[in-house]
Amino acid sequence: MMAPTTDNAGNTGDPGHARASLEALRAEIAKAVVGQDPAVTGLVVALLCRGHVLLEGVPGVAKTLLVRALASALELDTKRVQFTPDLMPSDITGSLVYDARTAEFSFQPGPVFTNLLLSDEINRTPPKTQSSLLEAMEERQVTVDGTSRPLPDPFLVAATQNPVEYEGTYPLPEAQLDRFLLKLTIPLPSRQDEIDVLTRHAEGFNPRDLRAAGVRPVAGPADLEAARAAVAKTTVSPEITAYVVDICRATRESPSLTLGVSPRGATALLATSRAWAWLTGRDYVIPDDVKALALPTLRHRVQLRPEAEMEGVTADSVINAILAHVPVPR
């Protein structure tokens, strides 16, 4: 029998230890970020499912700090790219550079070669540059000049966008939105959470120095690998599978939507439900797991009719209505 692997933080690949370590992430990230437990959980679910996350929230709600704190607590490499209208695909993927000393071209990797890529304000860059991430997100490789280069594992794209500013933006097309496993909304903090944030800053908290804030690695790549293997063994009954399908098919028949959830979305909902079930300590999926992940997994995969949008209908309200209507398996 092979001994469990151990990463640099001393974390073994034991599934039980992996779950405890990933659960400890909340407390560790809370040293830097106040009151964003659902977003932390969503990022962990995405890592377990080898998926990517779209973070939506107004400026100043700690989206960047959240990703940096997660990377520090997981001992992962992270890079940030500020998406601007003049950003080129090669600025992300890398390019061939001529070396005059050797008279040869050498590949200079771009920031996409990391574990956690923070794509800040992804909707501010033109579609050509947005699409440069498609191969990386789907195939986990980058092809430059006909040569494919694999990306590190784990690899997660956390892309942010501002929900209130539309001037000078390029909305992500449905095909690219579908590549994101989850869309997480980062809300404004509650009054008490905002008081806690200001109190920390008054006491000298520096968001650029996470180590001084006490954030330490509590899990690592070995734990993620063990957790992924355990999630893959989580049991899904035929009734749960049918429940997921019925929810997704109901979105295609909704009078409020012009675009429903595709089979890829149904597969994503099943995957995130399994990850959530394992994180909560079970080796089987129940309907509540599906309900818990339905909104973040499906909200960006549907498209509202203009008349419904004018009436104040939202993607979340449509999905909630479907969850209330579709029969729950017993």
Side-chain angles (χ1 to χ4, degrees):
M1 182 177 178
M2 294 180 62
T5 57
T6 305
D7 58 28
N8 293 333
N11 302 309
T12 67
D14 174 66
H17 181 275
R19 183 188 285 117
S21 297
L22 293 176
E23 287 175 350
L25 280 176
R26 287 191 183 93
E28 202 64 25
I29 294 174
K31 296 176 181 178
V33 181
V34 177
Q36 295 294 355
D37 280 357
V40 174
T41 301
L43 286 165
V44 173
V45 167
L47 281 167
L48 293 179
C49 298
R50 291 182 170 87
H52 308 284
V53 174
L54 185 62
L55 299 170
E56 187 172 273
V58 299
V61 290
K63 298 187 293 294
T64 301
L65 181 60
L66 175 63
V67 175
R68 289 180 52 241
L70 177 70
S72 296
L74 281 174
E75 202 180 31
L76 298 176
D77 181 50
T78 181
K79 290 185 175 67
R80 175 184 180 183
V81 177
Q82 185 68 44
F83 277 64
T84 56
D86 60 347
L87 195 72
M88 299 297 291
S90 59
D91 295 329
I92 301 170
T93 60
S95 58
L96 294 176
V97 177
Y98 182 74
D99 189 338
R101 292 174 299 178
T102 61
E104 294 180 348
F105 285 92
S106 61
F107 178 70
Q108 297 296 318
V112 74
F113 287 87
T114 186
N115 296 125
L116 269 68
L117 177 67
L118 177 60
S119 305
D120 223 351
E121 295 190 284
I122 190 173
N123 57 335
R124 289 204 174 276
T125 201
K128 179 174 71 173
T129 305
Q130 291 175 0
S131 63
S132 67
L133 281 175
L134 286 177
E135 181 187 17
M137 293 170 67
E138 191 69 18
E139 307 296 335
R140 299 183 180 274
Q141 65 179 22
V142 168
T143 301
V144 176
D145 197 36
T147 301
S148 297
R149 296 172 173 84
L151 294 170
D153 184 39
F155 172 68
L156 179 144
V157 173
T160 72
Q161 65 178 13
N162 184 339
V164 297
E165 288 184 4
Y166 297 102
E167 185 175 350
T169 62
Y170 304 85
L172 292 173
E174 283 71 22
Q176 186 157 359
L177 281 172
D178 206 35
R179 295 298 196 281
F180 287 98
L181 181 73
L182 299 171
K183 179 181 178 182
L184 305 175
T185 56
I186 311 297
L188 288 166
S190 66
R191 181 177 183 274
Q192 185 56 53
D193 284 344
E194 195 163 1
I195 290 174
D196 292 344
V197 170
L198 267 63
T199 301
R200 290 187 182 190
H201 280 266
E203 294 172 350
F205 171 71
N206 182 0
R208 295 171 183 81
D209 190 356
L210 294 178
R211 188 160 292 276
V215 179
R216 298 288 186 271
V218 294
D223 288 317
L224 279 176
E225 185 179 348
R228 287 169 172 176
V231 169
K233 296 177 182 177
T234 303
T235 304
V236 181
S237 68
E239 292 79 13
I240 293 294
T241 302
Y243 182 51
V244 170
V245 169
D246 289 343
I247 290 171
C248 294
R249 291 182 67 86
T251 65
R252 302 168 203 164
E253 300 167 0
S254 170
S256 298
L257 302 177
T258 58
L259 179 70
V261 177
S262 69
R264 178 189 288 154
T267 302
L269 181 55
L270 186 63
T272 56
S273 300
R274 293 177 83 181
W276 176 246
W278 181 81
L279 280 172
T280 53
R282 280 178 281 100
D283 60 358
Y284 57 92
V285 180
I286 62 175
D288 283 349
D289 299 325
V290 179
K291 291 181 178 181
L293 272 297
L295 284 179
T297 308
L298 304 182
R299 58 164 59 111
H300 57 297
R301 303 176 193 271
V302 300
Q303 191 174 67
L304 289 167
R305 292 187 182 277
E307 55 270 28
E309 200 166 4
M310 291 177 64
E311 294 172 0
V313 176
T314 64
D316 284 13
S317 65
V318 173
I319 294 170
N320 279 326
I322 288 172
L323 291 175
H325 175 74
V326 174
V328 179
R330 298 186 180 280

